[in-house]
Amino acid sequence: MATKEGEQQQTQAGRHQEVGHKSLLQSDELYQYILETSVYPREPESMKELREITAKHPWNIMTTSADEGQFLNMLLKLINAKNTMEIGVYTGYSLLATALALPDDGKILAMDINRENFDLGLPVIQKAGVAHKIDFREGPAMPVLDQLVEDKKYHGSFDFIFVDADKDNYINYHKRLVELVKVGGVIGYDNTLWNGSVVAPPDAPLRKYVRYYRDFVIELNKALAVDPRIEICQLPVGDGITLCRRIK
């Protein structure tokens, strides 16, 4: 007879079959229903193509999930974003979702330490006719952010900023980004529920990288919750996304 622990392991093994499936929903069937009913039928052809290309990449778990891509695209339209920033690009799925949402003269300052991954998705972005909106910078984001912060003309100049990068730097990013986003603008931090590990007991069996970054994610969540300069909303979309609206 299967033990309860064995059943749990089988259940976990059956999850995450969808590439980029970071859903925190307990039912895979419910998540699949959302994808097949509301996401995939409305997914732009270019995003579908890039999602399928990314699925073949060995690091595909790093991609933004399709439902989160749809959410970001809608959010950007709702706030009429024009000047945006993205830290952590990977193959560019969330970047493409952003570029498609912006007006033709919209701009995205996109930063990632690995241009090779970005180049994988670039032909799709070019074919979609939105590559002219993207200013890609290869390398760490921190030096670029420090340069922007030093120049007062960039203070409050960004409508939206999306961060999906090194979790151990999220706090350092926030210190800078809150000055660069405009009052009324939004910063989105991805992975703020971190595979659900934020509520896991200390002795829980976690993957090494999940355990390493967990404390940094918890630290960020605590800091955002008490930051008087922002309003926040944490949503269980994808792997958890926290939206921060600057109020002062």
Side-chain angles (χ1 to χ4, degrees):
M1 180 179 293
T3 64
K4 184 176 181 181
E5 181 180 0
E7 290 173 354
Q8 289 176 338
Q9 289 174 344
Q10 286 180 347
T11 300
Q12 290 300 318
R15 301 194 68 201
H16 306 293
Q17 296 302 310
E18 187 76 34
V19 169
H21 174 1
K22 305 172 187 175
S23 173
L24 297 164
L25 292 173
Q26 293 302 303
S27 166
D28 275 353
E29 291 77 13
L30 184 55
Y31 182 61
Q32 201 64 32
Y33 173 83
I34 293 171
L35 292 175
E36 293 178 359
T37 304
S38 301
V39 179
Y40 291 158
R42 304 302 293 267
E43 185 180 35
E45 194 60 36
S46 57
M47 290 183 65
K48 177 183 178 183
E49 182 180 357
L50 183 49
R51 177 168 54 82
E52 291 175 346
I53 289 171
T54 305
K56 300 172 185 175
H57 194 277
W59 302 342
N60 56 46
I61 191 63
M62 290 170 55
T63 192
T64 299
S65 60
D67 54 321
E68 186 173 8
Q70 184 185 59
F71 171 74
L72 291 173
N73 184 272
M74 175 72 79
L75 175 64
L76 286 154
K77 292 173 182 175
L78 288 172
I79 67 174
N80 296 311
K82 185 174 180 179
N83 190 39
T84 72
M85 181 192 302
E86 181 160 330
I87 302 175
V89 172
Y90 186 42
T91 60
Y93 187 79
S94 57
L95 185 63
L96 179 56
T98 299
L100 289 170
L102 299 185
D104 192 61
D105 59 345
K107 297 296 179 185
I108 312 166
L109 174 59
M111 293 169 276
D112 199 289
I113 59 172
N114 190 325
R115 183 174 185 107
E116 184 178 344
N117 292 332
F118 170 65
D119 285 342
L120 190 65
L122 184 56
V124 179
I125 294 172
Q126 292 171 331
K127 187 164 64 173
V130 293
H132 66 283
K133 303 178 186 180
I134 300 168
D135 175 12
F136 181 83
R137 312 276 185 92
E138 182 179 20
M142 206 67 71
V144 178
L145 297 181
D146 284 339
Q147 289 177 0
L148 294 176
V149 170
E150 286 177 11
D151 193 335
K152 296 291 185 181
K153 74 178 182 181
Y154 292 110
H155 286 209
S157 65
F158 289 89
D159 304 311
F160 179 78
I161 301 171
F162 182 59
V163 185
D164 183 9
D166 42 334
K167 317 308 169 196
D168 46 345
N169 258 326
Y170 270 27
I171 284 284
N172 294 322
Y173 290 146
H174 184 68
K175 292 174 182 176
R176 293 156 175 81
L177 297 180
V178 76
E179 293 187 42
L180 298 173
V181 72
K182 72 179 185 181
V183 173
V186 176
I187 307 170
Y189 291 103
D190 201 21
N191 306 115
T192 57
L193 295 176
W194 200 230
N195 289 191
S197 68
V198 291
V199 294
D203 59 347
L206 301 174
R207 292 181 181 178
K208 188 175 181 180
Y209 80 95
V210 173
R211 182 176 298 280
Y212 174 77
Y213 288 115
R214 177 178 62 170
D215 289 346
F216 293 107
V217 174
I218 291 173
E219 179 187 10
L220 172 77
N221 290 337
K222 290 178 179 178
L224 296 180
V226 298
D227 189 335
R229 299 167 296 179
I230 58 174
E231 296 173 327
I232 67 170
C233 178
Q234 189 172 32
L235 299 169
V237 176
D239 192 27
I241 181 171
T242 299
L243 301 180
C244 308
R245 178 177 177 267
R246 183 181 175 187
I247 56 176
K248 61 182 178 180

